[in-house]
Amino acid sequence: MFDIQEIRSQFSILDQKVNGKPLVYLDNAATSQKPDSVLEVWNKYYTEINANVHRGIHTLSQLATEEMELSRRKIQKFINAEHDFEVIFTKGTTEGINLIAYILTQKLKKDDEIIISYLEHHSNIVPWQMLCERTGAKLRVIPMDENGILQLDVFETFLSEKTKVVSVNQVSNALGIINPIEEIIAKTRKNTNAYIVIDGAQSAPHFTLDVQKMGCDFFVFSGHKMYAPMGTGILYGKQEILEDLPPFHGGGEMIATCSFDGTTYAGLPFKYEAGTPNVGGNISLGAAVDFILKVGQENIQNHENALLDYAQKQLLELEGIKIYGEKANRTGVVSFNLEGVGIASDVGMILDKLGIAVRTGHHCTQPIMNFFNIAGTVRASFAVYNTFSEIDALVEGVKKAQKMLS
């Protein structure tokens, strides 16, 4: 049974008031709140275990290692990776993409091509621009139409023997648009031998994931958007590819042998996990997976889709509302402006006075904003603990903003 009040009771932070009003937290695409079960695991690590992993024979070190490797196996099952050692702990999506772009440096040369899309977060733009600067490769961008839908017919014309990387997000953080990555992957495989990278930062909290069925080479996501602590994330990579590519960082943990004459590298996953990891955070990421699976991914998706449908319907009943990507297949996000009335940040500040937390601005997607010739949007984004009454509060807050700003 899906019991929204029971779910909300697991998030103590939601009980507070902001500016004298009950907190309505609708900034989940930026970061989700954390259930008590995850915070308890995090606290238990630091109060009962707190030892480094893989490096000690004493009891606490062994416990820490067991718990972190158990978390790795939970995440392996969560994304259906073939092997647990294909799961690399990172600080988040941004580090994961930067890691991939760095280790692919030796695989690209002048005039090779990297394809991304118009819908990307800066974290899936800038690392590839930096790779182009290092290698002389060129960046190509899949265009989108006025609904934010990628033009895959144009994408297909881009594909050639020069294509070495295709990197796209599964869900747009700015608009919530679900991209047809299965079709993108199929077209890429048919026409090239390119590496395929999928940014799952906005899909991991909402969808059932299967990287083997998906057929990508790399998949990255952040823990803090899926009920885990900040500073956690995952890079999945196929075994044969990760074994073929060089390390990212050098130091402890990632070596097999080290001398002044030379160093050999550890096997997967440790080859890509130099230094002391975020042990408590990584263990807590496994606890966040437990939470998601206990609630049920289908339950989460159905509830969040219902929230999105309701929010869009209610907002569109107001005059002067522009929803971006309105006609596209979306999840978890409604991104809008009040046409001719103030700016997004004005709306956000008024909503905050009412206890409603939304995100305003360009959402680290300036190309999207430039496409629509706007400075930014108001973005309300949903999680499993949000309610229809909170949508009602949002709509009433938008009405108040319209009245105050007009």
Side-chain angles (χ1 to χ4, degrees):
M1 295 293 293
F2 184 83
D3 185 341
I4 186 63
Q5 294 307 319
E6 194 279 329
I7 290 170
R8 285 180 65 84
S9 72
Q10 300 178 50
F11 292 83
S12 298
I13 195 171
L14 299 179
D15 294 335
Q16 67 178 297
K17 291 187 175 182
V18 172
N19 294 319
K21 305 290 185 180
L23 171 63
V24 175
Y25 186 81
L26 299 174
D27 193 21
N28 297 285
T31 194
S32 63
Q33 299 302 337
K34 324 305 175 193
D36 295 341
S37 59
V38 170
L39 298 176
E40 288 165 4
V41 168
W42 187 89
N43 184 65
K44 180 180 179 180
Y45 168 75
Y46 281 106
T47 58
E48 298 183 20
I49 301 177
N50 192 37
N52 216 329
V53 291
H54 305 133
R55 302 178 186 177
I57 61 171
H58 62 82
T59 298
L60 294 186
S61 179
Q62 292 296 311
L63 285 172
T65 299
E66 289 170 7
E67 289 297 320
M68 196 174 88
E69 292 308 312
L70 174 60
S71 181
R72 195 191 305 272
R73 292 192 295 274
K74 289 178 181 178
I75 295 157
Q76 173 201 355
K77 293 179 181 178
F78 181 68
I79 64 174
N80 194 33
E82 184 175 2
H83 305 291
D84 62 352
F85 52 75
E86 295 176 317
V87 174
I88 312 297
F89 287 115
T90 68
K91 291 187 295 186
T93 303
T94 298
E95 184 180 50
I97 296 174
N98 275 273
L99 188 161
I100 298 164
Y102 177 83
I103 65 178
L104 287 178
T105 300
Q106 64 175 314
K107 297 294 185 179
L108 275 76
K109 62 183 185 301
K110 182 177 172 58
D111 294 329
D112 283 341
E113 294 179 350
I114 300 167
I115 299 175
I116 60 174
S117 88
Y118 227 104
L119 285 172
E120 302 311 316
H121 188 282
H122 295 165
S123 293
N124 203 26
I125 299 174
V126 180
W128 303 116
Q129 291 175 327
M130 295 168 70
L131 179 56
C132 288
E133 291 171 359
R134 290 195 298 272
T135 62
K138 297 178 180 178
L139 194 67
R140 307 198 74 174
V141 182
I142 307 169
M144 67 179 185
D145 65 17
E146 67 277 4
N147 296 308
I149 298 171
L150 296 182
Q151 297 179 299
L152 296 192
D153 54 339
V154 178
F155 164 64
E156 197 160 15
T157 68
F158 289 172
L159 295 168
S160 73
E161 70 279 356
K162 291 184 177 181
T163 308
K164 294 299 184 287
V165 179
V166 174
S167 185
V168 295
N169 61 41
Q170 191 169 13
V171 175
S172 163
N173 72 297
L175 306 180
I177 291 173
I178 303 170
N179 288 319
I181 58 168
E182 294 83 2
E183 187 176 353
I184 290 171
I185 291 172
K187 289 181 183 296
T188 303
R189 293 287 185 230
K190 179 181 177 182
N191 294 282
T192 77
N193 293 314
Y195 295 100
I196 299 175
V197 183
I198 302 299
D199 171 357
Q202 298 295 334
S203 58
H206 308 295
F207 295 165
T208 299
L209 302 173
D210 188 334
V211 294
Q212 292 189 74
K213 182 179 179 181
M214 195 182 298
C216 58
D217 298 308
F218 300 99
F219 188 89
V220 293
F221 61 93
S222 299
H224 73 96
K225 298 178 190 294
M226 50 173 284
Y227 313 107
M230 293 184 178
T232 63
I234 293 298
L235 160 64
Y236 156 81
K238 287 182 178 177
Q239 175 187 1
E240 62 272 18
I241 293 174
L242 291 177
E243 288 179 340
D244 177 58
L245 293 169
F248 180 41
H249 290 146
E253 194 68 22
M254 53 75 68
I255 64 102
T257 63
C258 179
S259 73
F260 292 119
D261 295 323
T263 294
T264 59
Y265 304 129
L268 298 176
F270 309 117
K271 175 182 175 181
Y272 293 103
E273 294 182 351
T276 297
N278 181 1
V279 181
N282 293 344
I283 295 171
S284 300
L285 179 51
V289 168
D290 290 339
F291 168 78
I292 290 171
L293 296 179
K294 183 176 180 180
V295 175
Q297 290 167 292
E298 185 176 353
N299 288 333
I300 292 173
Q301 192 168 354
N302 290 340
H303 178 65
E304 291 172 345
N305 286 344
L307 290 171
L308 175 60
D309 290 344
Y310 183 71
Q312 178 158 303
K313 180 178 182 295
Q314 296 299 107
L315 286 169
L316 287 175
E317 289 182 358
L318 307 180
E319 290 188 9
I321 292 286
K322 167 67 174 178
I323 294 178
Y324 299 91
E326 175 191 343
K327 297 180 180 179
N329 184 25
R330 306 195 332 274
T331 188
V333 168
V334 59
S335 197
F336 64 94
N337 275 320
L338 310 185
E339 293 186 303
V341 180
I343 58 176
S345 58
D346 292 336
V347 179
M349 285 188 287
I350 292 170
L351 291 175
D352 179 60
K353 295 299 183 183
L354 301 173
I356 303 168
V358 295
R359 179 70 45 151
T360 64
H362 56 66
H363 317 299
C364 293
T365 58
Q366 286 183 323
I368 295 177
M369 303 301 135
N370 293 338
F371 178 90
F372 289 114
N373 195 30
I374 55 177
T377 69
V378 181
R379 184 187 70 187
S381 50
F382 313 119
V384 67
Y385 42 70
N386 290 127
T387 66
F388 294 98
S389 62
E390 289 180 321
I391 303 301
D392 293 336
L394 170 67
V395 173
E396 290 303 312
V398 171
K399 288 180 183 177
K400 185 169 185 177
Q402 281 182 313
K403 185 175 181 180
M404 292 178 65
L405 296 171
S406 62

